[in-house]
Amino acid sequence: MKIAVLGTGGGARAHIARLGGLGHEVHVGTRDPRATLARTEPDMMGTPPFGSWLADHPGIELHTFTEAAERGELVINGIDSHNAVAALSAAAEQLAGKTLIDYAVPFVYNPDIAHPWPTPWGVMPTLDPCDSDSLAEQIQRALPDTKVVKAFVTQEQDTVVDPKAIGGGEHTMFIAGEHADAKRQTTDLLKAYGWSDILDLGPLVAARGMELYAHMHSAIGFALGFGTHFGIKVVR
Amino acid sequence: MKIAVLGTGGGARAHIARLGGLGHEVHVGTRDPRATLARTEPDMMGTPPFGSWLADHPGIELHTFTEAAERGELVINGIDSHNAVAALSAAAEQLAGKTLIDYAVPFVYNPDIAHPWPTPWGVMPTLDPCDSDSLAEQIQRALPDTKVVKAFVTQEQDTVVDPKAIGGGEHTMFIAGEHADAKRQTTDLLKAYGWSDILDLGPLVAARGMELYAHMHSAIGFALGFGTHFGIKVVR
């Protein structure tokens, strides 16, 4: 299947590599492919430049967001949350009728703080939107002809693409969205990744809870020790 | 041990009954004991009047908030979130030096809506405080001489007092607070309730995530079907 991954960060790379391994034709989108490939320094998250990563992953094509969106039959959105609505809106025509899986946490980046993530516990990031809206709903409103599904967001993306690495895969993935066929497509992808417990939380308004969960995810991660991988299981 | 439970709602009753069963001397606090006992109608949550419940639970003493706080060596706060800071501040002297466990979700009650809880999915409640502050932190700031612990909030209180009812107890309880001795006391109580996996999320700022998790808790509950009991397990 032709799958577009929009974004070149650490999360996007987890999906790109895994999708390639599953035999999909992966089309990666970035704002400016030449600029992305010209970068030689790690980004603010410490992620190595995409060009060197790409050299180790032959067969992956790099395009603009619009070109990648056009080629993908299914689209995964890994664009950073503050640029997502604008960048996706510019590709609305290419995304029309397609499933778009969004996994962003809309943390507010504070340029006065060198590292945007929480530290134990000097800095807590805040979320925007928060509580009465969600990024996924904003994207759906901006792209009414696209079928937005919120998923993946409650786990690290390395875990999303390889759930069995933790507890033998005995944990839970959540999805939400307005379109049953798009949620079926997302579920099929998740099963291919190795997920067996996939809980449909209903319409896209449930994305609020999924995004707000980011604070718990951070707190659990810090409590277990930075770098410890974990999953959340709904026990019933 | 003398334990005060402030509040007479469904959650408070779960703790009162369980603590009594564990052999503790339970002192229940309410704003106006006579008014509480005079009530003959269920409250807005459908909870039967406290007087009839109390008649089935001999040996439980009903006091004002201040009187109960004075008698308790450990205090559990089940006062509704919007009145909590004011009601607890009025008992600051009686609460000084003591551990106060808070489990409230600061959902905003909208008086224009007959039922304040979310419906699938017409109404989503919002939270206040939210994201950049938490109710637990507000309480701690208002009562600097009290040792506030946030706990219980990520589970229904019936599950908090009887974790083994779900999945044999194989799920996770979270605590947060600034005072190590207060967290030890809370952990001891949780072990007596039957908890084996208790994760200390660190300082009280982690209460933000615990309170924000309320939206996920609601969404999971609706997804599983109203009335289905469940727990959350951190798989690592």
Side-chain angles (χ1 to χ4, degrees), chain A residues 121 124 126-127 130-131 166-167 170 174 200-201 203 205 208-210 212 215-216 219 223 230-235, chain B residues 121 124 126-127 130-131 166-167 170 174 200-201 203 205 208-210 212 215-216 219 223 230-235:
Chain A
W121 280 95
M124 284 283 287
T126 54
L127 295 159
C130 179
D131 191 33
I166 295 168
E170 282 293 311
F174 305 98
D200 182 352
L201 295 181
V205 69
R208 297 179 193 179
M210 297 163 80
L212 291 172
H215 279 306
M216 270 297 275
F230 64 94
I232 286 290
K233 177 182 168 69
V234 177
V235 179
Chain B
W121 281 93
M124 284 283 286
T126 54
L127 295 159
C130 180
D131 191 31
I166 295 168
E170 283 292 311
F174 305 97
D200 182 352
L201 295 181
V205 68
R208 297 179 193 179
M210 297 162 80
L212 291 171
H215 279 306
M216 270 298 275
F230 63 95
I232 286 289
K233 177 181 169 69
V234 176
V235 179

Side-chain angles (χ1 to χ4, degrees), chain B residues 21-126:
Chain B
L22 288 169
H24 293 291
E25 183 181 317
V26 187
H27 295 271
V28 180
T30 189
R31 180 177 306 276
D32 179 342
R34 283 183 61 178
T36 296
L37 293 174
R39 223 164 278 142
T40 56
E41 297 294 319
D43 70 9
M44 68 177 184
M45 303 304 300
T47 310
F50 189 71
S52 58
W53 186 88
L54 200 61
D56 295 333
H57 294 79
I60 306 292
E61 295 189 43
L62 189 64
H63 313 275
T64 63
F65 288 138
T66 306
E67 289 165 351
E70 186 166 25
R71 284 165 173 79
E73 298 164 293
L74 169 69
V75 183
I76 296 174
N77 175 40
I79 302 174
D80 70 280
S81 62
H82 306 94
N83 296 316
V85 171
L88 294 171
S89 295
E93 196 183 315
Q94 291 77 17
L95 292 168
K98 296 177 182 173
T99 296
L100 177 81
I101 307 172
D102 174 59
Y103 66 79
V105 175
F107 274 135
V108 175
Y109 172 63
N110 184 341
D112 297 333
I113 298 165
H115 198 285
W117 301 106
T119 58
W121 281 93
V123 177
M124 284 283 286
T126 54

Side-chain angles (χ1 to χ4, degrees), chain B residues 138-209:
Chain B
Q138 290 184 338
I139 293 170
Q140 183 65 87
R141 288 197 300 273
L143 289 87
D145 297 330
T146 297
K147 301 167 191 172
V148 177
V149 176
K150 192 85 192 189
F152 308 168
V153 62
T154 53
Q155 304 268 3
E156 290 168 290
Q157 301 310 309
D158 288 336
T159 307
V160 172
V161 303
D162 185 17
K164 294 193 195 304
I166 295 168
E170 283 292 311
H171 44 132
T172 307
M173 172 57 62
F174 305 97
I175 62 173
E178 303 297 330
H179 305 276
D181 57 336
K183 289 198 278 194
R184 271 195 302 274
Q185 221 178 354
T186 305
T187 300
D188 289 344
L189 177 63
L190 285 164
K191 286 179 178 170
Y193 281 166
W195 288 92
S196 51
D197 187 20
I198 302 163
L199 187 59
D200 182 352
L201 295 181
L204 203 56
V205 68
R208 297 179 193 179

Side-chain angles (χ1 to χ4, degrees), chain B residues 215-233:
Chain B
H215 279 306
M216 270 298 275
H217 181 87
S218 299
I220 294 168
F222 286 127
L224 296 178
F226 202 77
T228 304
H229 300 290
F230 63 95
I232 286 289
K233 177 181 169 69

